[in-house]
């Protein structure tokens, strides 16, 4: 049975332009369908048409060919991509979150791919983002992270080390550029204790400790031994030499 609904009962959906609104009674369930003037079709489970819901197909069918599956107002599909674009791109969603356990949750027709679990960019057995141009990014729990190598490998040869979404490396430069330039970072700060934290391919050098820039002299002063006579030490502390007691 199909029942037409008067205009005054139509909710404000998709730009106030409702062309057709029908109430379909299917077995023991009600399905409310809205077709707007542009040919986009919306499926709802409630008369107020606030809850996008359809169990036997996409709840949104755009006139351009894009399709989206919704269950109880959330993007959701368990047997395939919940979003299929006319371009060929696909996205897997479960309970309103990008999610797929057996492959990338986002696939683009140009070959770009990204892995998502419970709404977070995440992959443990390889890069979570693979770009068609050759760039690769390692993400864990929505953070750039990799413990056994660079978390970002650019197609041009540049490499970046990230831990818990921070540029971080303790056994070498955190960024190695394709042109030979290097940057040392610890906990997302430019930092190096045994040399310049920035070495440019052109020979330029910059010294940083915990993100603070130092001149070369300032840097060398903090690692060079300080030689003071007993008289100089006593004068610094305002005591006599006899009062000094040197401990090793």
């Amino acid at each position: 049975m199909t029942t037409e609904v008067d205009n005054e009962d139509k909710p404000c959906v998709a730009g106030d332009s409702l062309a057709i609104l029908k109430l379909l009674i299917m077995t023991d369930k009600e399905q409310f369908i809205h077709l707007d003037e542009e040919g986009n079709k919306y499926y709802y489970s409630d008369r107020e048409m606030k809850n996008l819901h359809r169990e036997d197909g996409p709840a949104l069918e755009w006139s351009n060919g894009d399709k989206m599956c919704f269950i109880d107002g959330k993007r959701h599909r368990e047997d395939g991509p919940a979003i299929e674009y006319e371009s060929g791109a696909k996205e897997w969603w479960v309970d309103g979150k990008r999610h797929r356990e057996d492959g990338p949750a986002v696939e683009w027709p140009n070959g770009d791919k990204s892995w998502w679990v419970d709404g977070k960019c995440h992959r443990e057995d390889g890069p979570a983002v693979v770009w068609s141009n050759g760039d690769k990014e390692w993400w864990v729990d929505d953070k750039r992270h990799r413990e056994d190598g660079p978390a970002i490998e650019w197609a041009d040869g540049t490499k970046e080390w990230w831990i818990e979404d921070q540029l971080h490396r303790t056994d070498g430069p955190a960024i190695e550029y394709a042109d030979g330039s290097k940057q040392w970072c610890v906990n997302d700060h430019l930092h190096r204790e045994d040399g310049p934290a920035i070495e440019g391919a052109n020979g330029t050098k910059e010294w940083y400790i915990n993100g603070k820039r130092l001149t070369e002299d300032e840097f060398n002063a903090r690692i060079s031994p300080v030689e003071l006579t007993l008289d100089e030490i006593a004068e610094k502390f305002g005591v006599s030499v006899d009062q000094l007691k040197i401990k090793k």
Side-chain angles (χ1 to χ4, degrees):
M1 180 180 69
T2 301
T3 305
E4 297 290 344
V5 180
D6 294 335
N7 285 338
E8 59 264 27
D9 294 330
K10 297 176 182 177
C12 177
V13 178
D16 295 329
S17 58
L18 287 174
I20 301 174
L21 173 61
K22 294 183 178 179
L23 167 62
L24 301 181
I25 300 179
M26 303 166 57
T27 63
D28 59 342
K29 298 181 180 179
E30 293 182 342
Q31 184 79 75
F32 298 82
I33 304 174
H34 159 54
L35 180 67
D36 67 20
E37 293 177 348
E38 297 178 354
N40 302 313
K41 189 180 289 187
Y42 308 76
Y43 292 76
Y44 297 89
S45 61
D46 59 320
R47 183 179 295 275
E48 292 76 19
M49 297 209 308
K50 294 181 179 180
N51 196 48
L52 284 163
H53 180 93
R54 187 183 178 190
E55 298 181 6
D56 60 350
L60 283 180
E61 296 178 351
W62 300 99
S63 59
N64 65 358
D66 294 346
K67 300 177 181 180
M68 299 185 185
C69 296
F70 283 78
I71 297 292
D72 291 329
K74 298 178 181 180
R75 293 179 179 90
H76 180 91
R77 185 181 175 188
E78 297 183 1
D79 61 349
I83 302 177
E84 297 182 69
Y85 297 98
E86 186 276 335
S87 65
K90 300 176 182 180
E91 298 187 24
W92 279 252
W93 291 69
V94 175
D95 288 331
K97 299 176 181 179
R98 282 193 183 95
H99 179 89
R100 188 182 181 190
E101 297 183 1
D102 60 351
V106 181
E107 297 180 353
W108 294 97
N110 66 352
D112 294 343
K113 299 177 182 180
S114 59
W115 279 251
W116 296 72
V117 175
D118 290 330
K120 296 179 180 180
C121 194
H122 178 91
R123 187 183 180 190
E124 296 183 2
D125 60 350
V129 182
V130 177
W131 303 98
S132 58
N133 66 355
D135 295 342
K136 299 177 182 180
E137 302 179 25
W138 277 254
W139 292 71
V140 175
D141 288 333
D142 226 24
K143 298 176 181 178
R144 295 177 185 89
H145 180 89
R146 186 183 180 189
E147 297 183 3
D148 60 351
I152 300 179
E153 297 180 357
W154 301 101
D156 66 359
T158 298
K159 299 178 180 180
E160 301 181 14
W161 278 254
W162 293 74
I163 296 291
E164 295 287 340
D165 219 27
Q166 293 186 333
L167 278 167
H168 180 89
R169 188 183 180 190
T170 57
D171 60 350
I175 304 178
E176 297 178 356
Y177 292 97
D179 66 358
S181 300
K182 300 177 181 180
Q183 291 187 14
W184 279 254
C185 296
V186 174
N187 296 327
D188 221 29
H189 295 296
L190 284 165
H191 178 88
R192 188 183 180 190
E193 297 186 3
D194 60 353
I198 297 178
E199 295 182 356
N202 60 0
T204 59
K205 297 180 180 181
E206 297 180 22
W207 289 261
Y208 284 83
I209 295 294
N210 293 324
K212 181 181 179 181
R213 186 174 181 178
L214 304 177
T215 65
E216 184 176 4
D217 289 341
E218 290 172 332
F219 178 84
N220 289 331
R222 53 180 307 281
I223 62 174
S224 300
V226 177
E227 295 183 1
L228 293 174
T229 66
L230 290 176
D231 288 333
E232 289 172 332
I233 296 173
E235 183 180 351
K236 269 185 173 297
F237 290 95
V239 298
S240 68
V241 173
D242 294 337
Q243 293 176 293
L244 290 175
K245 186 176 181 181
I246 308 299
K247 290 184 178 181
K248 291 185 178 181

